[in-house]
Amino acid sequence: MPLGIAWTLLGIALRLATRPLRGSPVLPSVVAFFLERFYWDLLIYAVIAGVAIARDYAMQLRERDRQAHEMALQTADLERRLVEARLQSLRAQLQPHFLFNALNTISAFTEANPQTARRLMGQLGGLLRASLTHASRPLVTLGEELTFLDDYLAIESARFEERMTVAVHVDDDLLDLLVPSFLFQPIVENAIRHGVALRLSGGDVEVSATRDGSTLNLRVRDNGVGLPPGWHFERDAGVGLRNIASRLEHVYGQAGLLRVQSAEAGGVDVQIDIPLRPVRQPQTTTDA
């Protein structure tokens, strides 16, 4: 406001000073001349200043929107990288766990049956090569996941011989659907180790996949010894089940996709409900 009043007075004074140069008649009253023109000149200045200030605010607003958009992109990228790091960490925990159990199985045959031990070592080598490819992608097709499970069971079946049977029931039209990698192996391993292996007569493990609308229902059931009384997931679940639950929550943004309960006919029934919606696979990098 002070600047507007000053510029208005200066403009009127300049017009007054240049009147003789323009041949205008002498004013009867200088004060009246100032009063007559001060209001309108100040209003014109206010309009010009308002337009300039509005343009400046608009530029500042666009700049803030641009910065906010860039920050949102950076935040989304950081969240994506955090999810990737968590998923890679969870998968890294599963791979040594599986490897140690496979080596323990092979070591049991080293002295008693060297020929079987050598055969199992060859199968383990092939399985490890397949696991490297399997682990490089957070999401794989259901068919690839079941193929990896078959390779794992080829080693486990040697330890149980005729005491364990595994049945897989999956329709062919479901094999191309995407699921998190290393999904079945830890669950089947739990069913064998904590269910079937504890029975003298062994037992059965059943793996199935069905589609219910927009949901893929995965199940692993066994007829082993079942869950101990008072078993609770948050308190009693092992590394494999906890990691699977965490990975499912990170990938699909939902909790409670993994459920563990006692089967009606005895044993344990593990159910996973995967939403059938597009999931962006995190980018993975490999070292040369």
Side-chain angles (χ1 to χ4, degrees):
M1 290 300 295
L3 185 61
I5 294 173
W7 276 109
T8 301
L9 293 176
L10 178 60
I12 298 174
L14 289 175
R15 294 213 305 275
L16 180 62
T18 58
R19 283 182 65 83
L21 300 177
R22 292 183 281 111
S24 300
V26 179
L27 293 174
S29 173
V30 174
V31 175
F33 180 82
F34 269 88
L35 292 177
E36 288 175 359
R37 287 160 178 77
F38 180 80
Y39 174 78
W40 289 106
D41 285 9
L42 182 61
L43 181 61
I44 293 172
Y45 175 87
V47 171
I48 296 173
V51 171
I53 293 174
R55 184 184 64 176
D56 184 61
Y57 276 131
M59 293 177 61
Q60 293 181 13
L61 181 60
R62 285 195 297 268
E63 180 65 18
R64 285 197 297 267
D65 289 342
R66 185 186 64 81
Q67 294 177 354
H69 181 66
E70 291 180 353
M71 291 182 62
L73 291 177
Q74 293 175 357
T75 302
D77 183 65
L78 290 175
E79 291 177 351
R80 179 183 62 82
R81 292 178 182 273
L82 178 60
V83 170
E84 291 177 16
R86 288 176 176 172
L87 291 175
Q88 291 173 1
S89 175
L90 292 172
R91 289 198 305 272
Q93 293 179 38
L94 286 176
Q95 294 168 27
H97 184 66
F98 150 72
L99 178 60
F100 294 150
N101 282 280
L103 291 176
N104 287 335
T105 300
I106 295 174
S107 65
F109 289 92
T110 302
E111 295 183 1
N113 193 335
Q115 183 177 359
T116 300
R118 288 192 297 270
R119 177 175 59 82
L120 293 178
M121 284 297 294
Q123 291 177 329
L124 177 60
L127 181 59
L128 290 178
R129 285 190 294 271
S131 68
L132 292 177
T133 303
H134 202 66
S136 64
R137 293 175 295 160
L139 296 175
V140 298
T141 65
L142 180 59
E144 292 173 320
E145 181 68 12
L146 292 175
T147 299
F148 182 82
L149 178 64
D150 288 340
D151 294 337
Y152 166 75
L153 290 174
I155 296 177
E156 284 293 287
S157 61
R159 179 159 62 102
F160 289 91
E161 296 179 350
E162 302 298 329
R163 296 178 53 240
M164 179 187 71
T165 60
V166 179
V168 179
H169 304 288
V170 179
D171 292 336
D172 292 340
D173 59 345
L174 303 180
L175 296 179
D176 291 332
L177 299 178
L178 292 178
V179 298
S181 59
F182 292 103
L183 185 63
F184 278 122
Q185 185 270 326
I187 300 177
V188 173
E189 180 180 332
N190 277 346
I192 295 174
R193 182 179 181 183
H194 302 292
V196 174
L198 299 181
R199 296 182 56 185
L200 295 178
S201 58
D204 305 322
V205 178
E206 180 182 356
V207 178
S208 63
T210 57
R211 182 170 184 170
D212 182 12
S214 60
T215 303
L216 178 63
N217 304 120
L218 307 176
R219 302 185 72 177
V220 176
R221 287 175 287 189
D222 67 79
N223 61 350
V225 297
L227 298 173
W231 189 92
H232 190 270
F233 185 91
E234 297 297 333
R235 183 186 64 244
D236 303 315
V239 174
L241 291 177
R242 290 179 183 273
N243 284 353
I244 291 174
S246 297
R247 292 170 61 205
L248 290 171
E249 183 174 354
H250 287 316
V251 171
Y252 298 100
Q254 294 180 231
L257 297 180
L258 172 67
R259 301 190 305 276
V260 182
Q261 57 190 11
S262 297
E264 295 181 358
V268 178
D269 186 359
V270 180
Q271 302 182 31
I272 300 176
D273 298 327
I274 296 180
L276 292 178
R277 62 171 183 264
V279 178
R280 182 182 62 183
Q281 294 204 42
Q283 296 179 354
T284 57
T285 57
T286 55
D287 297 331

